[in-house]
Amino acid sequence: MVIRRVLAPRIDFGALRRELGLPDHFPPEAQREADEAAARPLPALADRTDVPLVTLDPPTSRDLDQAMCLTRRPGGGYRVRYAIADVATHVRPGGALEAETWRRGQTVYLPDGNVPLHPETLSEGAASLLPDVERAAVLWTIDLDADATTVGVHLERARVRSRAKLDYRGVQADADAGRLAEPIALLPELGALLTARGLRRGAINLPLPEQDVEPDGDGWRLVLRGPVPMEEHNAQISLLTGMAAADLMLAGRIGLLRTMPGPRPEAVDRLRAAAAPLGVDWPDGASVGEVVARLDPARPRAAAFVDQAAELLRGAAYTAFDGEVPAEPGHGGVAAAYAHVTAPLRRLADRYATEVCLALYEERPVPEWARTALPRLPETMTSTDRTASAASRGAVELAEAVLLADRVGETFEAAVVDVDAPVTRPGRQPGGTVALDAPPVRARCTGELPLGERVTVRLVTADPTTRRVAFARA
C-alpha cells in the first residue's frame, strides 16, 4: 500500500551513486561481447518448450531469472519444474564481460534505474525468460511426495518458452478469486506445505515489510508493503531448489553454499524473555519460526518482537569448498544446507554454483573455469552485498530526509520497535528506533522508549545532504 508521496522535484540519486562508486556504463569490449552473445542462435539443447512455464516477479521487472510449472505426480505428490536463466551460455569464460561481472558482483537496484550485473541486451533481453520467446535455461525437475518431501531431482540444460509474465499482486488477486493460471494453480497448496516443513525443521521466516521509493509523476513516493502470501509461496520454490543444489554439492564435495550460524541458545532465551512483556504467546515446544509465523507485524508490539527476532539471523556468508565438506554447512534461517542458484542474471555466484551442480549431476568433472572461481567468490559477493545494501538503504534514507525536510519540529505518532542496551557511558542519551505510521519512516529516536508501545515523537533533524533523520521523544 502506498503510504505517502514525496512531494518534491525528482530526487537526484547521483551523489549516492558516486559515493558508492557505481559504474554508469559497461566497458566497450564487455558490451560488444554481450551484444554478440545476444545475437547468436541458441545452442543445441533438449527441447522443453512444451512445458507451460510462467514467471512470477514484480510488475516492472524484465530481468526474469526463473519460470515455473507445478503439476501433480501420478499416484500422489508434486512435480516442480523450475527453469533458471542459463547465463553461462552467454558469458565466455576469460572474456571482458566475465571480468566486468566480477567487478559488479550483483545488480544494484536504485529508484532512478538499476546498475545491472549484465548489459541489458542480456539481462532484459536474450538471457531473460521473457514470455513467448525461446530461451536457454537450466531446468530443475524436483519430485515431491504428498508431504512435500523431495524424492527425486533431475537437472538439465534445455530450451524453454515462458507462457506469461505474472506479478505478485495480480496472482494474489487471482488466488483469492480462485482463478489461478494452471501452471501455478498448486502454488498456494505446495507453498504452504513447504513452509510447514521448514517450520518443523526450525526455519525462521521474518514477515518484514519492504520499504521502497517509487517514481510518481515528477516526484517520488515512499511506500511500505508487507509480502503477499503468493510472494512467500514463490520464495519456497526458490528455497526448495537451493536446498536441492546444496545437497548435490555436499554429496560431490565441491561447491558454494550460503551459510549462516544457527541461533545461539542464549539469544533465543533473551528473545523468549522479551515475548511476555510484548504480549507474544510462546507455547511450550514452539520454535522461534513457529512463534513468528503466528504474528501480525502490523501490530506495534508484534513488530517489535519480529525486530528482536531478526537479531538471531546474523553472520550470513558464502562458503566455498573443494574436497572437504564444511564443518557447519547449514543456514540458520533455512534450517538446512542451502545454495544460491536461482538468480544468475542478478547475482554472480549463481552462475558458477549452477555449473557445479550440472557437472555433479551429469557425473563429469567440474569445468576448470568454475572450479577456480569458487574460492574467490565469497570475498566478491560479501563486498558487493555491502554495496547493494548501502544503495538500498541510502535511497530510502534520502527519500525520508527529503520528505521530512520542511517538517522539523512537528510531532508524529510512532511505534517503538527497538531500544538500546542500558546506557553505561556518561553523557550518552538513551534511545532506540521508532517506526512512524505516516509517512512510513523508520529512524533513530532519543529518550526513554518503551519497547513495543506507541509514543509521540518530535522531528529534530531531516537533512537530505547527510541523509539523516532523527527524532526525540516528545
Side-chain angles (χ1 to χ4, degrees), residues 379-428:
E379 181 178 354
T380 295
M381 296 309 300
T382 298
S383 173
T384 57
D385 274 347
R386 286 195 294 266
T387 299
S389 296
S392 177
R393 184 175 62 251
V396 169
E397 290 171 347
L398 176 57
E400 290 177 337
V402 170
L403 173 62
L404 294 171
D406 61 351
R407 303 184 69 180
V408 173
E410 291 186 29
T411 58
F412 302 82
E413 294 301 306
V416 179
V417 295
D418 194 17
V419 295
D420 297 343
V423 175
T424 56
R425 285 192 319 216
R428 184 185 175 192

Side-chain angles (χ1 to χ4, degrees), residues 434-452:
V434 296
L436 275 62
D437 296 329
V441 170
R442 180 185 175 108
R444 174 77 185 165
C445 182
T446 56
E448 295 290 344
L449 300 174
L451 184 63

